[in-house]
Amino acid sequence: MGELVGCYLMPHPPIIVHEVGRGEERKIQKTIDSLENISQEIKQKRPDTVIVITPHGYVFKDAVSITTLPFLEGDLSQFGAREVKFKFENDLDLAREIVEETKKRNIPIAEVSEELIKKYVLPKKLDHGTIVPLYFVTKHYPDFKLIHMSYGFLPFEKLYEFGVAIKDAINKSDRRVVFIASGDLSHKLTPNSPNGYTPKGEVFDKTLLQLLSEMKVEEVIRMDKDLIEEAAECGFRSVCVMLGVLDGYEVNAKVLSHEGPFGVGYGVAKFDVTGYKGTSLLERFSAEEDPYVKLAKESLEYYVKYRRPMPVPEGLPEEMYRRKAGVFVTLQKKGELRGCIGTVVPQKKNVAEEIIRNAISAGFEDPRFPPVREEELPEIEYSVDVLMPPQPVKSKDELDPKRYGVIVRKGFRAGLLLPDIEGVDTVEEQLSIALRKAGIRPDEDYTIEKFEVERHEQRVF
């Protein structure tokens, strides 16, 4: 069985390399000292394989990547230090196992091969995000194979799950592995930063490093996205993957240093594995996942893969087999609506079948949107509304857009709007939208019904 022997957060400023900095590197001596200490520690651990995830490799919008070239080589010639060059053997067996584990979790992954590099005219050399950390490691311990990967711009929890896939692959191997999360912190840390300045840069750096030192993993994954974006960092997603690699382990975390004299935050931290807790964060969240939402998610993913509805699974709560009700399934992507279809009255024999059918309809039959593509699935969030029987309304005073949904009718025309929709705060706004959906003019004589819903929403870390 393989063994994860340590994880490290390491920055990658080229100026820290003596052949590039030529004396300027002394301004970040604390960072250099920390990297030297980590490298000596790695020497003592004698890993077979070092995995580096870098922000400056093959970064795709909708997929993580792993390089499958037999050898990985590069230099710092673009920074005036051509003599700093490396060539590593790729651990292809472990890399392929990581690919398989990642695919099992329906996480899109790009295998960067010779063919892909030629097809998309990609650079073949290792990036500085990989070379700079390994510059220090190889001074003390050069006897390892390398795996080179990059994160994609997927949801943070998906990057965490990618880390879990890496962990599972390591455990199935016979390798002793060190994992390096390469990344700098805020690029707007001080007023002299060439990238501009924001006081949020310091807030981001301090917050992230404090949470890491206490291994408050859920709070890291839930960090304010606006704060992360404003800080202009490049290491947060590397950290998300690293925390996934550590999923389920008992960890001693220690921040070794943090400084930023050039306006960019350089944080160095180590994460020592001391044992296994027995229940991973993903397992716990999976156990807590709402069965209504989980079924909608599984239904759409199954249909995208096999182009047929999935059978009703065993093991659902008994109520989902007995109950009959109308159901709406709503899909969102990056906070924006991606599809919403439902039934006011039940069309199937139970709620489970209703969810399975309407999840497919939301993904493929909402005329406002194109069909959902497989590469979008990791970004989609789900909610399921089970409708209570509608009640006739005699006066608008009986309505409350936060509590009740509405149905407006005129002849064969009807429009429905669910309750508690963001941006819909008044009865007038709610009715106006429902009338437009039905094609009914406000001055026509129409009827109103109200209904409550039982809302099931996807929980994100």
Side-chain angles (χ1 to χ4, degrees):
M1 183 175 176
E3 182 181 4
L4 176 67
V5 296
C7 288
Y8 302 93
L9 170 62
M10 302 175 72
H12 52 243
I15 197 171
I16 206 170
V17 173
H18 174 70
E19 290 84 348
V20 177
R22 303 183 188 279
E24 285 293 297
E25 72 276 8
R26 287 193 291 269
K27 294 179 180 178
I28 43 175
Q29 191 63 45
K30 289 181 182 178
T31 302
I32 293 173
D33 293 343
S34 297
L35 295 178
E36 293 285 358
N37 289 339
I38 281 176
S39 300
Q40 290 171 0
E41 186 174 293
I42 290 173
K43 178 183 178 180
Q44 294 172 358
K45 294 181 176 181
R46 302 187 65 80
D48 304 303
T49 303
V50 173
I51 300 175
V52 178
I53 185 160
T54 169
H56 300 293
Y58 304 108
V59 178
F60 299 98
K61 180 181 179 182
D62 55 359
V64 296
S65 73
I66 188 165
T67 308
T68 56
L69 302 174
F71 291 95
L72 304 166
E73 53 189 313
D75 57 50
L76 293 181
S77 57
Q78 69 184 107
F79 301 100
R82 186 179 299 274
E83 68 274 24
V84 179
K85 57 185 177 181
F86 298 98
K87 183 175 182 178
F88 302 94
E89 184 180 351
N90 196 346
D91 189 343
L92 289 173
D93 290 338
L94 181 53
R96 292 189 183 104
E97 188 62 42
I98 291 171
V99 171
E100 290 306 309
E101 291 295 324
T102 303
K103 288 180 177 178
K104 284 180 186 178
R105 295 178 175 275
N106 292 318
I107 301 170
I109 183 167
E111 299 176 58
V112 182
S113 61
E114 290 276 7
E115 292 73 21
L116 194 72
I117 286 172
K118 290 178 181 177
K119 181 177 180 180
Y120 294 104
V121 196
L122 301 173
K124 195 172 181 179
K125 287 184 177 182
L126 287 173
D127 59 287
H128 73 275
T130 303
I131 291 176
V132 172
L134 295 183
Y135 169 86
F136 291 91
V137 175
T138 54
K139 285 199 296 183
H140 300 274
Y141 182 72
D143 190 21
F144 59 84
K145 292 183 179 180
L146 177 65
I147 292 179
H148 174 261
M149 56 177 61
S150 293
Y151 56 66
F153 287 93
L154 303 177
F156 300 149
E157 63 270 18
K158 269 298 172 185
L159 295 175
Y160 183 95
E161 191 172 1
F162 174 49
V164 176
I166 296 167
K167 178 195 73 171
D168 291 344
I170 292 170
N171 288 339
K172 288 183 177 181
S173 74
D174 60 357
R175 311 292 202 272
R176 289 173 56 82
V177 177
V178 158
F179 187 91
I180 295 174
S182 174
D184 298 334
L185 303 183
S186 174
H187 287 57
K188 297 183 176 182
L189 191 61
T190 60
N192 67 332
S193 169
N195 303 287
Y197 169 70
T198 171
K200 295 291 183 66
E202 183 178 3
V203 174
F204 169 81
D205 283 18
K206 287 184 175 180
T207 301
L208 177 60
L209 293 177
Q210 183 64 38
L211 292 175
L212 289 176
S213 70
E214 300 173 9
M215 281 303 288
K216 293 184 176 179
V217 176
E218 295 175 48
E219 292 185 36
V220 173
I221 303 299
R222 289 172 173 165
M223 272 187 71
D224 185 341
K225 291 181 174 64
D226 290 336
L227 174 62
I228 295 168
E229 184 175 353
E230 191 170 348
E233 50 67 47
C234 72
F236 185 80
R237 289 172 175 81
S238 292
V239 167
C240 291
V241 177
M242 179 189 67
L243 292 175
V245 175
L246 291 166
D247 179 80
Y249 286 107
E250 294 175 350
V251 178
N252 285 334
K254 184 177 182 180
V255 175
L256 302 180
S257 64
H258 174 253
E259 53 188 344
F262 306 117
V264 178
Y266 305 128
V268 183
K270 67 175 185 174
F271 304 83
D272 295 326
V273 173
T274 60
Y276 192 72
K277 292 182 288 190
T279 302
S280 75
L281 185 64
L282 274 186
E283 288 169 347
R284 178 157 58 85
F285 271 89
S286 178
E288 295 173 358
E289 189 172 4
D290 187 292
Y292 288 74
V293 173
K294 184 178 181 183
L295 183 59
K297 179 176 185 290
E298 290 175 348
S299 171
L300 182 58
E301 291 180 349
Y302 187 96
Y303 189 84
V304 168
K305 186 173 182 179
Y306 299 108
R307 284 300 191 270
R308 63 177 186 272
M310 67 181 286
V312 176
E314 298 178 358
L316 298 173
E318 187 60 32
E319 67 186 55
M320 296 179 72
Y321 301 115
R322 295 195 321 264
R323 187 180 187 184
K324 293 185 71 172
V327 169
F328 270 73
V329 175
T330 303
L331 313 178
Q332 287 196 314
K333 178 180 173 183
K334 296 181 179 178
E336 300 292 333
L337 183 66
R338 184 60 182 85
C340 181
I341 293 288
T343 45
V344 179
V345 294
Q347 305 295 314
K348 301 293 182 181
K349 68 179 182 181
N350 56 38
V351 162
E353 289 189 9
E354 207 82 34
I355 291 171
I356 289 171
R357 176 63 252 175
N358 291 343
I360 296 168
S361 298
F364 282 82
E365 297 171 14
D366 190 327
R368 297 169 293 180
F369 304 98
V372 168
R373 305 184 309 276
E374 184 172 5
E375 58 267 28
E376 292 181 271
L377 291 174
E379 299 182 272
I380 290 178
E381 296 178 6
Y382 301 76
S383 65
V384 177
D385 288 299
V386 182
L387 275 62
M388 305 297 107
Q391 303 293 326
V393 171
K394 295 181 180 179
S395 167
K396 293 179 183 180
D397 294 336
E398 300 176 39
L399 299 178
D400 178 347
K402 296 301 179 185
R403 179 179 178 183
Y404 299 110
V406 296
I407 304 170
V408 294
R409 301 183 192 273
K410 172 69 175 178
F412 293 105
R413 292 172 289 166
L416 177 147
L417 197 66
L418 295 169
D420 198 17
I421 293 177
E422 185 176 358
V424 180
D425 301 315
T426 67
V427 171
E428 287 70 24
E429 290 172 325
Q430 187 182 44
L431 288 174
S432 176
I433 295 170
L435 289 169
R436 286 201 304 270
K437 292 175 72 173
I440 300 172
R441 297 192 316 274
D443 60 353
E444 291 188 73
D445 183 21
Y446 59 87
T447 61
I448 304 173
E449 297 165 87
K450 69 179 182 180
F451 61 91
E452 293 184 88
V453 301
E454 178 187 294
R455 178 156 293 169
H456 301 262
E457 294 183 295
Q458 185 170 356
R459 181 176 180 181
V460 179
F461 299 31

